[in-house]
Amino acid sequence: MIKLNNICKTYHAGGQPIKAADGISLEIADGEMVAVIGASGAGKSTVLKIIGLTEKPESGEYILDGKNVTECSDKKSALLRNEKISFIMQDFALINQFTVMENAELPLLLAKKKMPARLRRKKAEEALSAVGISELKDRKISELSGGQKQRVAIARALVSDADIILADEPTGALDSKTGAGIIELLRSLNEKGTTVIIVTHDMNIAAQCKRVIEIKDGKIANNA
């Protein structure tokens, strides 16, 4: 499903170039559950953003479902994201002035194939229930704690039935019990065929994945 060939991406900080991806090549098959590990600044999140079509590489090739998507337009990239990919972002990426329910429904509102409002609400309620916050559905995001926001972000990722879930430190703002429940939920989705890619510092989470990819200084250090 996912193939990166010699991907490079450079950022600049303080006038100095930083190679966040330095010739990265990897393959992730349909239905895998993969952990991406490495120190802060190693390039993990950059690789996740490139896979999620929110960043473009400077060079190299990205093949998704057999198609070269490296040079896709912003519009085409957005359509592919809405169709195939759900994100659980470290900074939540929620809309503060919206309610929990409105944030959970958002992927369905943006989908190419429109869904009746009643069915859309039902799917959002099921996702909120799955992460244990259905009682907060009418609260504004700005009123929630960090852990509650994380669960809304996870519910939003679940609601669209995407082929791929990209999770950047999905349990970082959660207590250990809730975090374990979220990982179990991701495992159950993976068992039903969803490809799950988790960026994490937690080796206990990495150990629950089928494969661990280690990134160091923008390069693949280990791909076991």
Side-chain angles (χ1 to χ4, degrees), residues 66-86:
K67 297 178 182 178
N68 190 332
V69 297
T70 316
E71 300 297 334
C72 277
S73 66
D74 291 344
K75 183 177 180 180
K76 179 64 174 176
S77 292
L79 288 171
L80 283 169
R81 281 196 303 273
N82 289 338
E83 178 185 345
K84 294 180 175 293
I85 302 169
S86 283

Side-chain angles (χ1 to χ4, degrees), residues 9 35 40 60 64 70-71 81 113 117 119 121-122 132 139 143 152 158 170-171 174 199 206 216:
K9 180 72 176 182
S40 295
L64 178 63
T70 316
E71 300 297 334
R81 281 196 303 273
K113 185 177 180 181
L119 181 55
R121 189 173 182 85
K122 181 174 182 289
R139 296 269 295 275
E143 300 170 0
V152 178
L158 300 180
T171 64
L174 304 176
V199 164
K216 184 177 182 180

